[in-house]
Amino acid sequence: MQTKSIFLLIGGALGLFVLGLLVPEWLSYLMIIAMGKGIVVLGVVLLMRAGLVSFGQGLYYCIGAYVAGTLTQFAGISDVLLILLASIAASVLVAALVGLLLCRYRGIFFAMFSMAFSMILYGLLVRSSVLGSTDGFNVLRPSLLGWVPTDDASSDLVLAVAVVMVMILGSLMWLYLRSLSGYAGEAVRENEIRVEYLGTSVFRIIYTKYLIAAALAGIGGTVTALVSGHVDPEMAYWTTSGEFVFIALMGGTSHVAAPMVGAGLFELLRTYAFAIAPYTWQMILGSTLLLIIIFLPSGLWSLVSRFSRQARG
Amino acid sequence: MSALLETRNLERSFGAVTAAVDINVSINAGEVVGVIGSNGAGKTTFINMVTGYLKPSAGEILVDGRSIVGLQPRAVVRAGVGRSFQVAQLFPELSVLDNVLVALGLSVDRKLTLLRPLHSQKRRRKALEILAEYEIAGHADEVVATLPQGVRKLLDIAMAMLSSPRLMLLDEPTSGVAIEDKFALMETVMNRVRKSNAATLFVEHDMDVVQRYADRVLAFYDGRILADGTTAKVLSDPKVQELVVGHHLDIEVDSADAYESTVVPMEVRNA
Ligand SMILES: Nc1ncnc2c1ncn2[C@@H]1O[C@H](COP(=O)(O)OP(=O)(O)OP(=O)(O)O)[C@@H](O)[C@H]1O
Ligand SMILES: [Mg+2]
């Protein structure tokens, strides 16, 4: 990567961080939640580009969140880096097992089975009273390399973690999508027979992507848990997974920034819809998605690419 | 030395339909074999079985004397057997160049690199060279979905040839191509195949094309091999003409046919 893009990245990260510090607290909270979900959706998009719709990323989102919760609450570990590593490890481990079965299926079967696995976790959590059953439990404040922030600084630390994660993971994904592995996803979506006859295992390609998507969902779950200070089984419920697909469709799949933009707008839309119409806010969300699918079938990001094309002439 | 490809009593049925039975074929390095047979005779089924796409109901398939029955297509490809498809198998939404770049990456580089860009100057140049060898470089930036049939066929074959097979199975390379373009296409393909020293088996309905390129012909009929021998011998066989070709052919069996030296040059008429 050239120096210019590195400067752009660092500049963007700083800008995002400062913005998060300046805006009112509710908006900064919303920003972090959106970044957490955006990271999850990055994985959903990765699978979509390979032709697979996962309605079960809530499984790993919830695992990442509960890892943060159990480590801070029960194990006395609060270091944010350790928590992130543990979340990634736990998500990838579960995905490595689940994926062995799941990655053999396509289309509606993949979607439904992925949902089924997340509902199994939901069922287990609801029944485990140690983990607070349906109420879940609280996540304690994180620390960083021995530094234990005060109450106020704590949310700034989470903001910084979210921004850094979005920037790092976004750039890695940007590079990944341009690599052979990235294109391999499209190749699988377009023609599995051809991929096999090129001497490559389709299963391996999909399995790898599934593991990456799981890791991303785990990280997203951790970020969300740290900012909200609470976890509950709802995070593994199928509607949560559906939300990620919703955001992916809203934002589009053509650029790594699309999930972030999609997640940001989704959270804003939901907040305002809820404030304006507390009883019918889902209807507003639904109609918005409908309009986007009809008028911008490639998602909101297609507006950006259209404008940048025009700007370049 | 064992043959490059050998099948023993290969058999395959789909429910009540027997698509292949008693298929005993042996192909040696350097051979160019034409396969003829009417629609549904079992030609594609044969290729599908040999390349691991279909599992035979019974029988053996040996490459260099080693059984490959039960292997996945990717393993058969790595064992040195490549194929092209009756309906070209491509990545329709990618450009022609990207098709080759992905194919190069998957079949030649093999390593699924995570962060190195697929599009590098070097790879691009290599891909364009390959397209030029198949005379389709002019289409490099076009999306596959908009390509004419002949270009698709050539791209399909070019992608399959990337893994440098020792035996190349071409399933109707000229189907869907206008009659006047068939020879040009075959010329391009056969040039590449000869250059790579691969043995070739090609399925073809046009007897002129078969006569022009095949040294040997396998005639399929109703899932069986009706005849196997030099091109001239098989095409002049009355049974083949009646059941496979469907009309008579004027065949000159000349002295260059080393296969069956006892056959006297003749002209066959069985109208
Ligand atoms: N997947 C399948 N399922 C059921 N029947 C099949 C299948 N594939 C082939 N067949 C049947 O097997 C027989 C041989 O088919 P095959 O495709 O091998 O013929 P072919 O010689 O390649 O014909 P064509 O010249 O039309 O390509 C046909 O009767 C066909 O209907
Ligand atoms: Mg066929």
Side-chain angles (χ1 to χ4, degrees):
Chain A
M1 219 185 334
Q2 309 109 328
T3 357
K4 195 184 138 198
S5 5
I6 292 176
F7 276 123
L8 260 170
L9 263 174
I10 295 175
L14 280 177
L16 212 54
F17 182 66
V18 170
L19 184 72
L21 292 180
L22 292 179
V23 296
E25 202 174 317
W26 69 269
L27 194 53
S28 149
Y29 177 83
L30 192 146
M31 262 176 73
I32 301 172
I33 294 276
M35 285 192 268
K37 287 186 177 169
I39 292 171
V40 183
V41 176
L42 217 47
V44 173
V45 164
L46 184 67
L47 290 170
M48 273 185 178
R49 289 173 69 117
L52 297 165
V53 180
S54 167
F55 266 100
Q57 289 314 94
L59 172 62
Y60 305 107
Y61 182 65
C62 187
I63 288 175
Y66 270 70
V67 165
T70 42
L71 285 186
T72 59
Q73 186 69 263
F74 303 117
I77 295 173
S78 63
D79 191 275
V80 78
L81 298 178
L82 280 181
I83 294 174
L84 280 171
L85 282 179
S87 295
I88 295 171
S91 309
V92 171
L93 196 72
V94 174
L97 288 176
V98 171
L100 283 181
L101 178 80
L102 207 55
C103 294
R104 294 178 200 286
Y105 292 92
R106 303 288 182 273
I108 190 73
F109 298 101
F110 182 87
M112 289 300 120
F113 283 145
S114 62
M115 183 196 284
F117 278 109
S118 77
M119 290 308 287
I120 290 174
L121 179 65
Y122 175 79
L124 287 175
L125 290 176
V126 163
R127 264 159 204 77
S128 52
S129 46
V130 199
L131 296 175
S133 305
T134 45
D135 293 337
F137 60 96
N138 287 339
V139 182
L140 301 185
R141 265 189 272 120
S143 62
L144 177 67
L145 303 171
W147 172 57
V148 185
T150 59
D151 244 357
D152 280 347
S154 169
S155 57
D156 299 344
L157 173 61
V158 178
L159 174 67
V161 167
V163 168
V164 168
M165 280 295 133
V166 162
M167 287 300 168
I168 291 179
L169 298 172
S171 325
L172 287 179
M173 185 62 80
W174 191 86
L175 287 172
Y176 176 83
L177 291 178
R178 269 153 197 75
S179 74
L180 174 60
S181 301
Y183 273 90
E186 263 128 302
V188 164
R189 183 190 68 210
E190 302 244 306
N191 196 337
E192 292 193 14
I193 292 176
R194 173 43 81 197
V195 173
E196 280 282 332
Y197 272 100
L198 285 169
T200 305
S201 159
V202 169
F203 177 83
R204 220 183 80 197
I205 292 174
I206 291 182
Y207 190 64
T208 313
K209 286 178 195 287
Y210 187 70
L211 295 186
I212 295 174
L216 289 168
I219 295 170
T222 298
V223 168
T224 308
L226 292 179
V227 68
S228 68
H230 183 82
V231 295
D232 63 53
E234 200 76 14
M235 298 181 90
Y237 201 61
W238 65 273
T239 49
T240 309
S241 302
E243 218 173 271
F244 298 137
V245 175
F246 189 110
I247 295 172
L249 291 176
M250 225 172 108
T253 60
S254 59
H255 194 279
V256 288
M260 303 303 156
V261 174
L265 287 174
F266 177 82
E267 289 302 321
L268 271 179
L269 187 67
R270 179 159 67 180
T271 306
Y272 278 109
F274 193 73
I276 295 166
Y279 301 107
T280 51
W281 62 277
Q282 287 105 328
M283 229 172 74
I284 300 184
L285 277 185
S287 329
T288 313
L289 185 62
L290 204 63
L291 288 176
I292 291 177
I293 289 176
I294 293 170
F295 294 107
L296 293 169
S298 309
L300 288 170
W301 191 260
S302 55
L303 280 179
V304 180
S305 24
R306 200 182 300 169
F307 282 126
S308 66
R309 252 201 309 277
Q310 274 172 8
R312 266 184 267 132
Chain B
M1 209 189 78
S2 46
L4 186 51
L5 172 75
E6 192 180 340
T7 68
R8 292 187 192 147
N9 304 320
L10 212 51
E11 209 174 303
R12 171 75 204 209
S13 43
F14 299 102
V17 179
T18 304
V21 62
D22 276 343
I23 307 287
N24 292 289
V25 172
S26 171
I27 297 175
N28 292 305
E31 276 193 291
V32 178
V33 182
V35 171
I36 60 174
S38 43
N39 295 116
K43 307 176 298 291
T44 300
T45 302
F46 172 71
I47 293 180
N48 283 343
M49 285 192 292
V50 169
T51 58
Y53 188 70
L54 277 179
K55 222 176 153 174
S57 316
E60 258 304 343
I61 306 167
L62 307 167
V63 171
D64 297 325
R66 277 196 327 226
S67 173
I68 58 161
V69 173
L71 294 189
Q72 295 294 314
R74 60 175 181 276
V76 177
V77 166
R78 285 189 223 140
V81 181
R83 79 171 287 185
S84 74
F85 294 84
Q86 199 165 337
V87 177
Q89 296 294 320
L90 308 167
F91 305 123
E93 285 180 35
L94 300 185
S95 71
V96 171
L97 186 73
D98 282 355
N99 266 264
V100 177
L101 282 171
V102 169
L104 266 174
L106 293 183
S107 66
V108 181
D109 299 353
R110 273 292 165 68
K111 265 197 276 149
L112 280 167
T113 48
L114 293 178
L115 300 175
R116 204 145 32 88
L118 179 68
H119 290 255
S120 69
Q121 281 297 342
K122 209 175 109 201
R123 280 189 210 227
R124 246 185 100 89
R125 215 172 312 124
K126 178 98 202 286
L128 284 171
E129 262 167 37
I130 290 161
L131 289 175
E133 285 168 3
Y134 287 85
E135 291 161 33
I136 50 177
H139 297 275
D141 295 323
E142 287 170 35
V143 172
V144 162
T146 64
L147 290 178
Q149 212 35 257
V151 182
R152 281 177 202 225
K153 289 287 203 178
L154 284 168
L155 183 56
D156 183 59
I157 293 167
M159 285 163 80
M161 287 295 290
L162 289 178
S163 49
S164 312
R166 284 172 299 137
L167 171 63
M168 183 67 184
L169 310 170
L170 302 163
D171 199 351
E172 304 200 18
T174 71
S175 73
V177 177
I179 295 176
E180 60 269 27
D181 299 331
K182 284 191 177 187
F183 278 93
L185 186 143
M186 274 309 273
E187 201 57 39
T188 309
V189 171
M190 293 312 291
N191 271 335
R192 298 316 308 166
V193 171
R194 272 187 222 114
K195 200 156 238 162
S196 76
N197 287 320
T200 313
L201 177 147
F202 68 93
V203 177
E204 179 58 59
H205 286 287
D206 186 324
M207 294 306 146
D208 293 335
V209 176
V210 174
Q211 282 189 70
R212 172 89 169 69
Y213 293 100
D215 305 328
R216 176 183 157 197
V217 169
L218 293 175
F220 278 67
Y221 178 73
D222 202 15
R224 288 168 190 277
I225 293 184
L226 186 66
D228 176 0
T230 61
T231 304
K233 183 180 166 243
V234 172
L235 292 188
S236 60
D237 185 328
K239 241 181 17 204
V240 171
Q241 298 204 348
E242 186 198 331
L243 296 173
V244 179
V245 182
H247 59 90
H248 96 90
L249 282 172
D250 292 336
I251 304 290
E252 292 251 345
V253 179
D254 57 40
S255 52
D257 279 320
Y259 240 89
E260 196 79 327
S261 48
T262 52
V263 178
V264 237
M266 59 174 177
E267 204 169 76
V268 183
R269 304 205 173 276
N270 74 329

